Amino acid sequence: MTISRRPLLLGALGALAAPPLVRAQGSTAWTRDAYLAAMRASGRETAMTDATFNAIQARKPAALRRIESYLKARFNGEADPVVMRAFETLPREYFHWNYEGRANGAVNAYEADPKPWGLGYGSALSDYLGQAYMTQVCAPKPEHVVLEIGTGSGFQAALLSRCVAKQYSIEIINPLGTAVQRIFAPLGYSNVETRVGDGFFGWPEVTGGFDTIIVTCAAQYVPPALIQQLKPGGRLVIPIGQPFRRGQFLYIYTKDEDGRVRSRKDVGVYFIPMTGAMMNRPRPADAPNPEGAPARPTPAPAQPAG
């Protein structure tokens, strides 16, 4: 599996769901007019014909079947129904937008050959199969508090927000992170909180830490702050490897109730590097060392998460 973040790759499901206009996405409630209103409210004024909107919606069922088949092939026949429901609920076309060029790419949503789509500033909307894989690896639960390092398009954060109680996300690219902060409220996603900053340091102000931390850029080592902010019983999903080189792997770290940290080497991936402090700080002595062997065969190429 190749998951590259930028040039590639819900609170509880009832109480924290979106308002009626968007909650029934996939039914008559999610219309072209609702889409255009949400885009306008997020600061991305655009136009779209009924024919184009309807063509996008017509492709969605096939994409969902593709996701389900992909997950079953890689998780011993199981596609997490919570993850599938989140994908069904989320209007992916809403996240197809180039922030640097102010260009709408919604017409590409639910493509038959999943791939990353440019957001500008060197970032991308990751392909949906890679995002599905990363989400199921996170094993999201309705009571979880999750941190994402690398907001990107906002799709991964929005997706996880449909599965968990509270979703935090950090983006290091200022103009992208500032713009993407506006996209969640128009969909009614009130359990998502984002900020611009360096994910190397995590989000220490969040009391109690995180059940899951997902990193969508390749780290050369595990930032100690992320392990510190992981709750006992929590998991950290992180690509580790050298910048712009093959040989990166996805690692899953878990913290026991007694604080002991264990790691498992998962699939081969390819992400662009984590920037900021990761690029100019030597590996700390207390940074966890990856260990273990792949838990399953490397899947066919897919692309990033973010």
Side-chain angles (χ1 to χ4, degrees), residues 40-43 94 177-186 194:
R40 186 179 310 114
S42 69
Y94 180 76
T178 299
V180 171
Q181 285 177 338
R182 302 181 59 183
I183 72 175
F184 303 103
T194 70

Coordinates of all heavy atoms in Angstrom, one line a residue, residues 40-43 94 177-186 194:
R40 N -20.6 28.4 -0.1 CA -20.6 29.8 0.1 C -20.3 30.2 1.6 O -19.5 31.1 1.9 CB -21.9 30.4 -0.3 CG -22.0 31.9 -0.3 CD -23.4 32.4 -0.7 NE -23.8 31.8 -2.0 CZ -24.8 30.9 -2.1 NH1 -25.5 30.6 -1.0 NH2 -25.1 30.4 -3.2
A41 N -20.9 29.5 2.5 CA -20.7 29.7 3.9 C -19.2 29.4 4.3 O -18.7 30.0 5.3 CB -21.6 28.9 4.8
S42 N -18.5 28.6 3.6 CA -17.2 28.2 4.0 C -16.2 29.2 3.3 O -14.9 29.0 3.4 CB -16.9 26.8 3.6 OG -16.8 26.6 2.2
G43 N -16.7 30.1 2.5 CA -15.8 31.1 1.8 C -15.3 30.6 0.5 O -14.3 31.2 0.0
Y94 N -17.5 18.1 -1.5 CA -17.4 19.4 -0.8 C -15.9 19.6 -0.5 O -15.5 20.8 -0.2 CB -18.2 19.2 0.5 CG -18.2 20.4 1.5 CD1 -18.9 21.6 1.2 CD2 -17.4 20.4 2.7 CE1 -18.9 22.6 2.1 CE2 -17.4 21.4 3.5 CZ -18.2 22.6 3.2 OH -18.2 23.6 4.1
G177 N -4.3 25.8 6.4 CA -4.9 25.5 7.7 C -6.0 26.6 8.0 O -7.0 26.3 8.6
T178 N -5.7 27.8 7.8 CA -6.6 28.9 8.1 C -7.9 28.8 7.3 O -9.0 29.0 7.8 CB -5.9 30.3 7.8 OG1 -4.8 30.4 8.7 CG2 -6.9 31.4 8.1
A179 N -7.7 28.5 6.0 CA -8.9 28.4 5.1 C -9.7 27.1 5.4 O -11.0 27.2 5.5 CB -8.4 28.3 3.6
V180 N -9.1 26.0 5.7 CA -9.8 24.8 6.0 C -10.6 24.9 7.3 O -11.6 24.2 7.5 CB -8.9 23.6 5.9 CG1 -9.5 22.3 6.4 CG2 -8.4 23.4 4.5
Q181 N -10.2 25.7 8.2 CA -10.9 25.9 9.5 C -12.3 26.3 9.3 O -13.2 26.0 10.1 CB -10.2 27.0 10.4 CG -8.9 26.5 11.0 CD -8.2 27.6 11.8 OE1 -8.5 28.8 11.5 NE2 -7.4 27.2 12.8
R182 N -12.7 26.9 8.1 CA -14.0 27.4 7.9 C -15.0 26.3 7.3 O -16.1 26.6 7.1 CB -13.9 28.6 6.9 CG -13.1 29.7 7.4 CD -13.1 30.8 6.4 NE -14.4 31.4 6.2 CZ -14.7 32.4 5.3 NH1 -13.7 32.9 4.6 NH2 -15.9 32.8 5.1
I183 N -14.5 25.1 6.9 CA -15.3 24.2 6.1 C -16.2 23.3 7.0 O -17.2 22.8 6.5 CB -14.5 23.4 5.2 CG1 -13.7 22.3 6.0 CG2 -13.5 24.2 4.3 CD1 -12.9 21.3 5.1
F184 N -15.9 23.2 8.3 CA -16.7 22.2 9.1 C -18.0 22.7 9.6 O -19.0 22.0 9.5 CB -15.8 21.8 10.3 CG -14.5 21.2 9.8 CD1 -13.3 21.9 10.0 CD2 -14.4 19.9 9.3 CE1 -12.1 21.4 9.6 CE2 -13.2 19.4 8.9 CZ -12.0 20.1 9.0
A185 N -18.1 24.0 10.0 CA -19.3 24.5 10.5 C -20.5 24.5 9.5 O -21.6 24.2 9.9 CB -19.1 26.0 11.0
P186 N -20.3 24.8 8.2 CA -21.4 24.8 7.3 C -22.0 23.4 7.2 O -23.2 23.3 6.7 CB -20.8 25.2 6.0 CG -19.7 26.1 6.4 CD -19.1 25.4 7.6
T194 N -9.7 22.6 14.8 CA -8.4 22.6 14.1 C -7.6 23.9 14.5 O -8.2 24.8 15.0 CB -8.6 22.6 12.6 OG1 -9.2 23.9 12.1 CG2 -9.6 21.5 12.1

